[in-house]
Amino acid sequence: MTRQTLTDDIDNIRLRIALPNKGRLADGALELLERAGLEPAVASDRSLRADLGEDFTALFVRAKDIPEFVADGAADLGMTGSDLVAEADRPLETLLPLGFGRCRLAIAARDDGEWAEADDIADGVRIATSFPRTTERWFAARGKTVELVPVSGAAEIAPHIGVADVIVDLVSTGSTLKMNGLREVATVLEAQAVLVAREGFVAGESGARVRELVAALESVLRARGQRYLMANVPRASLDRVKDVLPGINGPTIVDVMDSGQHVAAHAVVAKSEVYRTIAALKELGAEGILVTKIERLMP
């Protein structure tokens, strides 16, 4: 068997996941995969591919190309922005929202302009954007016809130099718009990173492995914002402890070897509620309170 034949056989076994090769989406995707137990085995930062465990191979490409790669079968799955999926308008199935890379595609006009809201924008208005398909669909759904001015970046300058009247661009905090004398008029869509597959792929012979991957990623996402809390509480306060520590299905109670005066209560608590929960437990006489992060959480 030649080396090339062996490589081809491995690729036929592994599922190919297209990942962003740089930027915030790349960082978020790699962190999520690593926490799910699929840390890429890369030779260098310039590697175009990497093994992800025994079942997957990562292909590092531009985020905007990932919908095309997946739809055309060059990759089986992909992680990229839902805004890019919408713009590609290819037959893809969104398997899971990934919770990072959050932003919005927004319409913005000059601060001193005449448009205060989307309904003010008349037919024929020139719009600079790198999302022409999404923009055209949005305005068409509202019965408006606009003139699109495709740009590849730095759309904020377009209204100031007469290239366009308004822009449609990605916004995270809005600070870049304000810095350039622009204000948001309307939101076209909310976006975040998503896991996608071509339509019908999950129903095929590789469906089981894809579902296992989705379950692993979901367990990581479910654990975010949650903490595991343990405390020794008086047995006499057990009824009230259950109100303080509802957990997922109620707290887990374990006997402590101290003549039965205390029990150990274990529960999953929202990170934002930890300090209130600790205060409530202390009022009940709890001791030895321990709070720790959760790597993964299965229902």
Side-chain angles (χ1 to χ4, degrees):
M1 179 181 294
T2 67
R3 179 178 298 178
Q4 183 62 49
T5 301
L6 180 59
T7 301
D8 290 342
D9 287 344
I10 293 175
D11 285 344
N12 288 335
I13 296 172
R14 296 178 183 270
L15 298 183
R16 298 157 299 175
I17 307 178
L19 301 178
N21 59 1
K22 60 182 179 180
R24 291 186 306 159
L25 287 178
D27 295 339
L30 291 177
E31 179 193 3
L32 179 58
L33 288 167
E34 288 172 7
R35 292 188 61 185
L38 293 171
E39 184 173 358
V42 294
S44 73
D45 292 340
R46 297 184 178 182
S47 297
L48 300 179
R49 55 187 290 163
D51 291 342
L52 297 171
E54 298 180 355
D55 290 324
F56 303 97
T57 294
L59 307 176
F60 299 105
V61 298
R62 293 193 309 169
K64 68 179 299 182
D65 292 334
I66 289 175
E68 302 291 345
F69 272 56
V70 176
D72 291 339
D76 303 304
L77 306 166
M79 289 185 179
T80 191
S82 58
D83 53 304
L84 299 173
V85 174
E87 179 62 20
D89 197 23
R90 297 297 304 274
L92 297 173
E93 179 182 355
T94 296
L95 304 180
L96 185 68
L98 302 176
F100 62 87
R102 294 184 184 276
C103 59
R104 59 191 178 278
L105 188 63
I107 304 170
R110 288 176 52 163
D111 281 334
D112 58 358
E114 57 186 294
W115 299 289
E117 55 187 40
D119 289 341
D120 297 334
I121 298 176
D123 285 343
V125 165
R126 292 171 299 163
I127 300 179
T129 183
S130 55
F131 294 85
R133 291 173 179 165
T134 306
T135 300
E136 186 174 32
R137 286 197 303 268
W138 193 88
F139 279 98
R142 288 154 182 80
K144 294 181 181 292
T145 302
V146 296
E147 180 183 343
L148 297 173
V149 181
V151 295
S152 57
E156 295 88 356
I157 193 64
H160 297 290
I161 60 176
V163 172
D165 303 302
V166 299
I167 69 171
V168 172
D169 203 8
L170 291 177
V171 178
S172 294
T173 64
S175 59
T176 302
L177 292 180
K178 293 179 181 178
M179 190 185 310
N180 288 279
L182 301 173
R183 68 174 186 278
E184 288 187 52
V185 173
T187 298
V188 173
L189 59 82
E190 300 283 348
Q192 65 174 299
V194 292
L195 175 69
V196 297
R198 61 182 178 275
E199 283 189 352
F201 182 73
V202 180
E205 60 183 15
S206 298
R209 281 190 290 169
V210 175
R211 288 188 289 273
E212 289 172 0
L213 173 64
V214 170
L217 297 178
E218 282 181 324
S219 72
V220 174
L221 297 175
R222 198 178 291 112
R224 288 180 173 174
Q226 304 290 329
R227 294 294 183 265
Y228 192 72
L229 187 149
M230 296 166 279
N232 291 338
V233 298
R235 186 180 295 274
S237 301
L238 190 54
D239 288 341
R240 287 180 291 168
V241 168
K242 293 177 180 178
D243 294 329
V244 176
L245 291 176
I248 297 176
N249 296 308
T252 298
I253 304 299
V254 181
D255 282 330
V256 177
M257 298 180 66
D258 66 348
S259 301
Q261 295 180 17
H262 289 78
V263 294
H266 299 223
V268 175
V269 179
K271 178 182 177 181
S272 60
E273 296 296 322
V274 166
Y275 79 97
R276 291 191 183 93
T277 303
I278 290 176
L281 287 172
K282 294 294 287 184
E283 288 183 3
L284 297 179
E287 303 173 349
I289 300 173
L290 175 65
V291 179
T292 185
K293 290 183 178 180
I294 303 171
E295 287 297 319
R296 295 170 65 171
L297 180 61
M298 303 297 290

